[in-house]
Amino acid sequence: DAKTTQPPSMDCAEGRAANLPCNHSTISGNEYVYWYRQIHSQGPQYIIHGLKNNETNEMASLIITEDRKSSTLILPHATLRDTAVYYCIVRVGGNAGNMLTFGGGTRLMVKP
Amino acid sequence: NAGVTQTPKFRILKIGQSMTLQCTQDMNHNYMYWYRQDPGMGLKLIYYSVGAGITDKGEVPNGYNVSRSTTEDFPLRLELAAPSQTSVYFCASSHHTGNTIYFGEGSWLTVV
């Protein structure tokens, strides 16, 4: 799986959009970009994934650059409950047998 | 559905003791995983299983054993507990064609 690089921490004001960047310059053509988050003391939670098109679901939006070397997770209206560590992972999709490799992630702090 | 259930949630072991962390899932998932997470770090894969009767080592298998006699259950055994095994342990599962991995709530283990 390709390596990802994320900033170690970010702050965001409550109610504003949180934009979390991820670099994955060595991503392969068949690798998807996945985002998980881990709220303190809980198990990681799946957020969203995509291959090359932008994706949106009830939790977030995922913007992938045209060259696929970077992506941004957007939480449109961050709340205090969105405070968590966010992990960006690239891996081959549709084959859940591939091991997930979690790096350090970005610690997002949403402030009142 | 209960999802992925782990027991116990907290446990203190003495050096050299043995114990089993239990994990069960009710989603009929083929794939199951055990991860450990040390303080402030990302998750590391210990063992995984692609189906009943099949197990494989992950990134950090030393000191652990697993079995997969049924689709639902994937216990993790520590034979001779060591202080280095103090960590939070997460069990997870996924469908073999799916992209989403579901995590349990974690088991906090302290070896003293």
Side-chain angles (χ1 to χ4, degrees):
Chain A
D1 295 337
K3 180 179 171 58
T4 62
T5 304
Q6 299 177 253
S9 64
M10 291 181 63
D11 290 342
C12 178
E14 187 178 19
R16 304 297 295 268
N19 298 291
L20 293 91
C22 180
N23 285 322
H24 32 78
S25 58
T26 61
I27 191 170
S28 300
N30 62 345
E31 288 184 313
Y32 286 68
V33 180
Y34 289 79
W35 284 85
Y36 282 76
R37 74 179 182 183
Q38 187 174 24
I39 296 171
H40 181 62
S41 300
Q42 297 182 20
Q45 176 190 25
Y46 166 83
I47 301 173
I48 198 168
H49 75 281
L51 183 62
K52 56 183 179 181
N53 297 322
N54 297 337
E55 301 289 343
T56 296
N57 63 20
E58 65 278 5
M59 291 182 67
S61 294
L62 175 61
I63 308 298
I64 303 174
T65 57
E66 192 169 344
D67 63 7
R68 303 209 323 122
K69 292 185 177 182
S70 65
S71 60
T72 301
L73 178 74
I74 301 172
L75 308 178
H77 305 286
T79 70
L80 299 179
R81 287 175 295 181
D82 292 323
T83 293
V85 178
Y86 288 77
Y87 295 99
C88 170
I89 301 159
V90 294
R91 59 190 282 264
V92 176
N95 181 359
N98 284 354
M99 298 179 287
L100 276 181
T101 301
F102 287 78
T106 296
R107 187 172 298 275
L108 175 68
M109 180 73 71
V110 180
K111 298 183 175 180
Chain B
N1 284 347
V4 180
T5 303
Q6 298 179 229
T7 57
K9 194 168 180 65
F10 300 97
R11 182 72 185 269
I12 298 175
L13 275 181
K14 293 184 178 179
I15 294 172
Q17 283 187 322
S18 301
M19 76 158 297
T20 299
L21 297 176
Q22 301 292 344
C23 177
T24 188
Q25 53 91 9
D26 61 359
M27 297 174 282
N28 200 32
H29 285 165
N30 304 91
Y31 290 82
M32 296 188 73
Y33 315 81
W34 274 105
Y35 290 86
R36 61 174 286 173
Q37 185 174 33
D38 298 332
M41 307 295 287
L43 280 77
K44 293 185 177 181
L45 183 67
I46 305 171
Y47 271 95
Y48 68 102
S49 168
V50 301
I54 305 169
T55 62
D56 281 294
K57 295 178 180 179
E59 184 183 359
V60 289
N62 291 343
Y64 306 94
N65 279 299
V66 294
S67 60
R68 186 91 183 273
S69 57
T70 66
T71 299
E72 295 78 19
D73 300 308
F74 191 42
L76 177 72
R77 182 150 181 90
L78 286 71
E79 290 294 348
L80 292 170
S84 61
Q85 294 178 303
T86 293
S87 190
V88 182
Y89 291 84
F90 290 100
C91 181
S93 73
S94 62
H95 191 272
H96 72 283
T97 61
N99 293 297
T100 304
I101 295 181
Y102 298 86
F103 286 82
E105 290 299 308
S107 296
W108 274 251
L109 176 66
T110 301
V111 182
V112 296

